[in-house]
Amino acid sequence: MSIAPSSAPSTDHPHVRSLRRRWMAPFLFAALPLALVACGKSASQAGPAGGQMPPPEVSVVTVQAQSHSVELEYVGQTAGSRETEVRARVAGILNKRLFEEGATVKAGTPLFQIDPSNFQTQVASAEANVAVAQAKVNQARRDQARLVPLIAEKAISQKEFDDSKSALESAEASLKQAQAQANEARLNLGYTKVVAPISGTTGTASKSDGSLVTASDSLLTTIVQTNPIYVNFSISESDLLRMTKQVSSGQLAVPGQRSANGSLGFSVNVKLADGSLYPRTGKLNFASEKVNPTTGSFDARAEIPNPDGSLRPGQFVRVLLGGASRPNSISVPQRAVIDSPMGKIVFLVTPDNKLAPRPVELDGWTKGEWIVTKGVQSGDRVLVEGFIKAHEPGMTVKPVPYVAKAADGKPPVAPAAAEKPPAAPASAASAAAK
């Protein structure tokens, strides 16, 4: 079906022109800002000279080889420097607990009282036996004393005199036996009062008042000495081998000489679960000579002062061994290292101010900076800030000295807790691979 030309309204008709203006107005207003932005962009791209953008400003640091302190970090767990089980030495009925659970006690403090009645009776009986034995000794001595002048006059036979002497010796031996039994009875009576064998913090009581204590079930409580406190940790075999090689080659210097207990002169700090650093410094007091077959690593132990008891046995902590250093090593700020598909890279700024990606090898972390073992040389300029503006290889930049920001006064965040470094662009990664 077609419409005759005469039936269509003319484009010059006033009504048609009015509709056209109302229909086009919104598009004209929408296109106006875009045109202004395009004009501004073209005007900004046209630089002050030559019609090009000026080189972007980036922060760089000039690296220099120097000695860097190194902290070796491991996972550890605290333990009491002395831990003991408090057990009853005699069987009986537990009369009373004499301490508060969780309290700090000194060595010799009474902890439990076992019913002493039966042991008091045994002591009395043993002392009576001693008295009887003593009486027999006295009688034997008197008998022998009467026979001494008679044997001199040969009024009695030698056998009779020898029998009296043997009776005295037997009586004296019986006296010693009775005295030993009496001493044992007194010891058992004394054991009815259970005392703390060491100073420390008590645990929970495993038996309540009125319970029967037997030889096979004698555990009453535990005591842990927490000042100083021990921190047990392990050093993997690979870490120890790498450290040994670095020490032999002079890449790593460790403090002190190996002592009789196998430890070195490392200082030890502890990082708690909330990331805070324990304020007191300890020392390494043990390092095993053999590999633990269960863990496949070398066991080590540190001793930390703990006068206020803020460290409790069983806590998981990070052990920081300090005192080691890397002589003539190069470090770069954490922000300068970028993760790329080909590994870790940094951007170097060449003498003609152009960007050049460079693969690097890292080994260790010190004071907020990575230790670089390969890829960067002394005197190189490394890009630290400005990756958003400058990340293309060969791009010309305007380098300015990098100033580390430490407004809060806190040390740099460790790599595990820090934000992930920006990923390298595909072009930079491919250039670094080449």
Side-chain angles (χ1 to χ4, degrees), residues 114-170:
I114 298 175
D115 184 12
S117 303
N118 184 42
F119 298 95
Q120 290 172 345
T121 302
Q122 293 178 6
V123 169
S125 176
E127 290 177 347
N129 291 336
V130 170
V132 171
Q134 184 66 56
K136 291 181 178 180
V137 168
N138 294 338
Q139 179 64 35
R141 287 174 178 170
R142 287 192 295 268
D143 292 343
Q144 188 182 31
R146 284 193 296 268
L147 296 178
V148 169
L150 297 177
I151 192 63
E153 297 176 359
K154 297 183 179 182
I156 59 174
S157 65
Q158 185 67 35
K159 180 180 182 305
E160 187 176 359
F161 180 78
D162 292 340
D163 290 343
S164 66
K165 186 176 181 180
S166 298
L168 175 60
E169 293 172 349
S170 176

Side-chain angles (χ1 to χ4, degrees), residues 69-108:
S69 60
V70 176
E71 279 189 342
L72 307 174
E73 186 169 337
Y74 303 95
V75 177
Q77 188 175 19
T78 58
S81 54
R82 297 179 68 186
E83 299 182 3
T84 185
E85 295 178 343
V86 179
R87 294 183 177 271
R89 297 189 179 187
V90 293
I93 300 298
L94 188 64
N95 277 356
K96 189 177 182 181
R97 173 167 56 87
L98 306 176
F99 71 100
E100 292 292 333
E101 295 174 320
T104 300
V105 297
K106 294 183 178 180

Side-chain angles (χ1 to χ4, degrees), residues 14-29:
H15 180 64
V16 175
R17 289 196 299 269
S18 176
L19 289 175
R20 184 185 300 139
R21 286 194 299 269
R22 282 184 290 173
W23 181 75
M24 292 294 293
F27 293 96
L28 292 175
F29 284 110

Side-chain angles (χ1 to χ4, degrees), residues 75-404:
V75 177
Q77 188 175 19
T78 58
S81 54
R82 297 179 68 186
E83 299 182 3
T84 185
E85 295 178 343
V86 179
R87 294 183 177 271
R89 297 189 179 187
V90 293
I93 300 298
L94 188 64
N95 277 356
K96 189 177 182 181
R97 173 167 56 87
L98 306 176
F99 71 100
E100 292 292 333
E101 295 174 320
T104 300
V105 297
K106 294 183 178 180
T109 302
L111 303 179
F112 296 92
Q113 178 63 60
I114 298 175
D115 184 12
S117 303
N118 184 42
F119 298 95
Q120 290 172 345
T121 302
Q122 293 178 6
V123 169
S125 176
E127 290 177 347
N129 291 336
V130 170
V132 171
Q134 184 66 56
K136 291 181 178 180
V137 168
N138 294 338
Q139 179 64 35
R141 287 174 178 170
R142 287 192 295 268
D143 292 343
Q144 188 182 31
R146 284 193 296 268
L147 296 178
V148 169
L150 297 177
I151 192 63
E153 297 176 359
K154 297 183 179 182
I156 59 174
S157 65
Q158 185 67 35
K159 180 180 182 305
E160 187 176 359
F161 180 78
D162 292 340
D163 290 343
S164 66
K165 186 176 181 180
S166 298
L168 175 60
E169 293 172 349
S170 176
E172 290 175 344
S174 298
L175 175 61
K176 291 180 179 180
Q177 183 180 13
Q179 290 173 339
Q181 292 173 350
N183 291 335
E184 183 181 5
R186 295 188 191 97
L187 283 175
N188 290 336
L189 177 61
Y191 291 153
T192 59
K193 181 171 289 186
V194 182
V195 299
I198 63 172
S199 300
T201 303
T202 60
T204 59
S206 58
K207 290 186 176 295
S208 58
D209 296 352
S211 300
L212 175 64
V213 180
T214 63
S216 60
D217 186 19
S218 60
L219 179 62
L220 301 179
T221 187
T222 58
I223 296 180
V224 179
Q225 189 176 88
T226 58
N227 184 33
I229 197 167
Y230 284 164
V231 181
N232 298 313
F233 62 99
S234 298
I235 303 174
S236 67
E237 186 176 358
S238 59
D239 285 350
L240 187 62
L241 291 175
R242 184 177 69 254
M243 190 187 310
T244 303
K245 291 180 181 178
Q246 291 176 349
V247 171
S248 300
S249 62
Q251 297 178 356
L252 182 67
V254 295
Q257 299 293 329
R258 197 171 184 85
S259 59
N261 59 5
S263 62
L264 294 171
F266 286 99
S267 62
V268 181
N269 287 294
V270 170
K271 187 184 294 183
L272 305 180
D274 59 356
S276 62
L277 196 64
Y278 183 68
R280 293 179 174 85
T281 301
K283 61 181 180 180
L284 190 67
N285 71 344
F286 172 76
S288 178
E289 286 287 346
K290 63 180 182 178
V291 177
N292 188 328
T294 304
T295 61
S297 57
F298 292 86
D299 295 331
R301 185 180 65 204
E303 181 180 303
I304 309 291
N306 188 35
D308 54 357
S310 57
L311 290 179
R312 300 296 183 89
Q315 286 182 254
F316 285 95
V317 296
R318 305 290 296 184
V319 180
L320 306 177
L321 301 183
S325 63
R326 293 186 182 275
N328 298 322
S329 59
I330 295 175
S331 65
V332 296
Q334 175 197 350
R335 301 166 63 94
V337 181
I338 302 175
D339 288 320
S340 74
M342 305 304 297
K344 305 286 187 181
I345 68 170
V346 297
F347 276 102
L348 299 184
V349 179
T350 62
D352 56 351
N353 294 337
K354 293 184 181 298
L355 292 182
R358 184 70 59 82
V360 293
E361 294 182 5
L362 309 176
D363 186 11
W365 175 262
T366 174
K367 297 181 179 179
E369 295 188 344
W370 286 111
I371 299 293
V372 181
T373 58
K374 187 177 181 181
V376 178
Q377 297 179 356
S378 182
D380 287 345
R381 294 187 298 176
V382 179
L383 174 63
V384 180
E385 290 182 345
F387 293 101
I388 297 177
K389 299 178 291 184
H391 52 263
E392 295 292 336
M395 185 177 183
T396 302
V397 295
K398 179 184 178 181
V400 297
Y402 167 70
V403 178

